[in-house]
Amino acid sequence: MWNFVAFCVPVGVVLLMMLLSSVSFLERAAQRVSTAKISLGSVAIRFVSLVLILVGCAFAFETHKLVRMNHYRAEHREEMSVEQEDRWKAELWRHHRNWWMALFNFVLWTVIWRVPQLISYYRAELDRLRRSA
């Protein structure tokens, strides 16, 4: 799962840069990718929506894992040896890192999900204003 999440960051950053580039052919290409539909059986879902769901699941999993780890520490604080506490801190650090990566991915793909709609609206308004002027 984390290989997929790590792969989503560079793809998302490049896609967002293309969407926000103000270069029309790059914007159109990125809009085609972000609005492309993938068929899963009888259900058709946008590519960006699928990635957003998967990244959201990773974020929810890491949030749940961090809550469980903090509850475990609160219950077993006095029983932990120094080595166990060091291992717990290392695992906690790793899960915090993964949580921030998942949050970044979730925000990034939410922006990518919304920006093509805003660009389309903006371009339609510009066309409307040019025709009326």
Side-chain angles (χ1 to χ4, degrees):
M1 175 68 142
W2 281 106
N3 289 334
F4 174 76
V5 172
F7 175 74
C8 288
V9 172
V11 172
V13 168
V14 168
L15 197 58
L16 186 61
M17 288 173 59
M18 288 172 65
L19 283 168
L20 300 175
S21 68
S22 296
V23 178
S24 61
F25 76 91
L26 289 177
E27 283 180 11
R28 283 192 301 271
Q31 279 184 325
R32 274 190 234 114
V33 170
S34 65
T35 59
K37 295 211 181 224
I38 297 174
S39 295
L40 301 171
S42 63
V43 176
I45 187 169
R46 284 178 39 194
F47 167 71
V48 172
S49 299
L50 179 64
V51 173
L52 189 58
I53 289 168
L54 293 174
V55 169
C57 288
F59 178 65
F61 173 77
E62 282 304 321
T63 300
H64 174 70
K65 191 73 171 173
L66 284 173
V67 169
R68 277 188 40 212
M69 287 186 71
N70 285 327
H71 283 300
Y72 178 82
R73 171 96 188 270
E75 293 173 0
H76 298 92
R77 186 178 194 111
E78 292 82 25
E79 303 167 5
M80 295 175 88
S81 67
V82 173
E83 293 84 16
Q84 288 173 326
E85 186 156 351
D86 285 346
R87 186 180 331 138
W88 181 86
K89 285 179 183 177
E91 193 172 331
L92 181 69
W93 184 89
R94 190 189 66 167
H95 284 292
H96 273 281
R97 179 203 62 198
N98 291 349
W99 186 86
W100 283 106
M101 284 174 31
L103 177 63
F104 174 73
N105 261 312
F106 187 73
V107 170
L108 175 69
W109 286 95
T110 302
V111 169
I112 292 169
W113 177 72
R114 183 67 178 127
V115 165
Q117 298 162 352
L118 295 174
I119 289 173
S120 295
Y121 174 77
Y122 173 72
R123 293 213 183 274
E125 284 296 309
L126 280 178
D127 290 342
R128 185 183 65 77
L129 290 172
R130 284 186 189 137
R131 280 188 224 122
S132 66

